[in-house]
Amino acid sequence: MIDEAHTGTESEGKSDDHPIALGGFSAFEMACFLDALETPFVFGDPQLSFEQWAAALHLATMWSFDDLRNSIISQVDKITEKATTFDLLDVSLKCRVEKWLHPAYEALCRRKDSFTDDEVERLGLKRAAAIWRIRETLGFERTPEIPPSSPCCSKKVICWNCERDVFQRQPSRDNGDKKGPPEPPPNRVLELIQREDALRFP
């Protein structure tokens, strides 16, 4: 049943002394895949971590176990908040789950902290540059107009010395009672993400 065309050698897979060599995954991923296979027989929600589900999803995608893949995706949907944005982004791209991609990109576009060197390397230069362009665009759109009473600048010029004070004194728009510039609406962030070729689903 197992011949050379499928295994690469005539004897591979036909005895314990000549097992089929599998590659492209780790022992951890295989263990998680087997755990995921057993979940239909477990009562209640299986207690697997995000990392375990992601590892199982990788092999289910690689080997086209479509029913298992859909089941794993449903489980991961319940615990996405336990994953880091970068982990969710990696799994989305590696396992081709498009619905996790834009929320991950949006979180990166909205976060206040700059990227570390490791994060830029993890994103790749083109994707990191695309997210920076979006962050820069949102930053310009959120910059308030300096009122005439600003202590050290005119109305038409942005003064970085008193910007914080301006944010505190200027009435917020669409931002509740929070001080500072208003957050951009979700559809605006999504619109900017969809314009970037580097952020499209492959």
Side-chain angles (χ1 to χ4, degrees):
M1 185 174 68
I2 301 177
D3 56 25
E4 187 175 356
H6 293 89
T7 65
T9 63
E10 185 175 354
S11 60
E12 191 176 36
K14 293 185 177 180
S15 70
D16 292 341
D17 294 330
H18 299 86
I20 298 175
L22 299 176
F25 58 90
S26 66
F28 173 75
E29 288 177 320
M30 188 64 188
C32 295
F33 178 77
L34 295 176
D35 287 340
L37 282 174
E38 296 176 353
T39 56
F41 307 102
V42 178
F43 294 100
D45 287 337
Q47 299 301 311
L48 299 182
S49 67
F50 174 84
E51 290 75 15
Q52 290 173 303
W53 284 123
L57 181 60
H58 176 217
L59 296 192
T61 302
M62 179 189 296
W63 293 333
S64 300
F65 279 64
D66 294 336
D67 290 341
L68 179 61
R69 182 177 186 274
N70 292 334
S71 176
I72 294 174
I73 290 173
S74 297
Q75 292 294 336
V76 175
D77 282 338
K78 302 174 184 178
I79 58 171
T80 52
E81 71 280 357
K82 297 181 180 180
T84 69
T85 301
F86 281 91
D87 285 343
L88 189 62
L89 180 60
D90 287 345
V91 174
S92 173
L93 293 170
K94 187 176 183 179
C95 301
R96 302 194 59 77
V97 185
E98 186 172 4
K99 64 179 177 179
W100 297 335
L101 189 65
H102 285 158
Y105 282 144
E106 183 175 343
L108 295 178
C109 291
R110 289 178 178 273
R111 75 177 230 180
K112 296 180 180 179
D113 296 334
S114 299
F115 292 142
T116 65
D117 291 345
D118 289 340
E119 288 174 337
V120 171
E121 185 175 354
R122 192 169 177 180
L123 280 171
L125 184 58
K126 289 185 177 180
R127 283 191 291 164
I131 292 173
W132 269 115
R133 281 193 293 271
I134 295 173
R135 287 162 61 96
E136 188 175 55
T137 299
L138 295 174
F140 279 122
E141 292 178 353
R142 293 169 58 193
T143 301
E145 185 180 66
I146 304 301
S149 59
S150 181
C152 59
C153 62
S154 67
K155 184 176 181 180
K156 298 297 183 181
V157 179
I158 298 298
C159 176
W160 300 108
N161 291 324
C162 65
E163 181 186 10
R164 182 181 300 276
D165 180 60
V166 171
F167 282 159
Q168 292 175 349
R169 290 186 286 106
Q170 184 174 349
S172 60
R173 299 165 294 173
D174 301 326
N175 203 27
D177 294 328
K178 297 180 181 179
K179 295 179 180 180
E183 286 292 323
N187 58 341
R188 175 57 175 157
V189 180
L190 180 59
E191 175 189 345
L192 293 173
I193 290 172
Q194 291 174 333
R195 290 180 183 178
E196 294 287 347
D197 290 339
L199 302 184
R200 291 180 179 174
F201 192 70

